[in-house]
Amino acid sequence: MSAAGTRIPFTRLAIPVIAMMAVVAASNVLVQHPVEQLGLQDFLTWGAFTYPLAFLVNDLTNRRFGPAGARRVVYAGFALAVLLSIWLATPRIALASGTAFLFGQLLDIGVFNRLRRLSWWHAPLAGSVIGSAVDTALFFSLAFAGDADMSFPVTYASTGITVPLWMGLAYFDFLVKLGFALLALIPYGALMGWLKPWSGAPADGAAR
């Protein structure tokens, strides 16, 4: 295997590809269903609780196979998930999801790779937070802006601010992703010792 990861047999990437496909496809279905318990239907969809796992999969793949291997997983997961999502969700949601997924995950890879020399938690946390911000903004605007069912005004009592429903959902979705980015450090840290770091990574730090 080269340091760039270009000679990794695709069979070795099968597990992260399948995991990525499952996360994105499930999220595309669940994002259409508001969380009605506790009156949260104007705040969150169920997709907010599944999609952040894509960043964990991406970061673990990047650690083990490097940025080139992680990008291959993103491209394969994107293609398979979009095709599946067209069947499970709607073409608009599938297109929005695919666009946001590519930009968010590729940005995560770039940030992770630049910070992998720092302490172990810097790269996965920064990559997930920055990638999530871009992903959230792209997905909700492309999927729901102008949709009558998702654009009616909602006033949030805590602030008195009125925004279209999809904007409110995007804001609270991002807050959940921030929480998950922190929580994901637990399994990431636990798996670091089991997943050998990418051979092209520097040997003098702990993150890789």
Side-chain angles (χ1 to χ4, degrees), residues 1-9 13 64-70 72 198-200:
M1 179 180 68
S2 69
T6 55
R7 297 181 182 174
I8 301 169
L13 300 175
R64 178 64 187 93
F65 298 109
R72 290 176 67 190
W198 172 48
S199 60

Side-chain angles (χ1 to χ4, degrees), residues 57-144:
V57 173
N58 197 7
D59 291 340
L60 290 171
T61 305
N62 199 344
R63 169 181 164 79
R64 178 64 187 93
F65 298 109
R71 282 191 289 269
R72 290 176 67 190
V73 170
V74 167
Y75 295 143
F78 158 78
L80 294 172
V82 167
L83 290 175
L84 188 58
S85 298
I86 291 175
W87 175 54
L88 294 173
T90 66
R92 181 176 179 179
I93 287 178
L95 178 61
S97 173
T99 302
F101 175 81
L102 274 183
F103 277 91
Q105 296 298 321
L106 292 177
L107 184 58
D108 178 29
I109 291 171
V111 172
F112 184 102
N113 205 46
R114 290 183 65 86
L115 300 181
R116 69 193 312 146
R117 292 178 179 270
L118 304 180
S119 297
W120 69 270
W121 57 271
H122 283 87
L125 181 60
S128 295
V129 170
I130 296 173
S132 292
V134 172
D135 178 281
T136 301
L138 284 175
F139 174 74
F140 278 89
S141 59
L142 292 175
F144 300 124

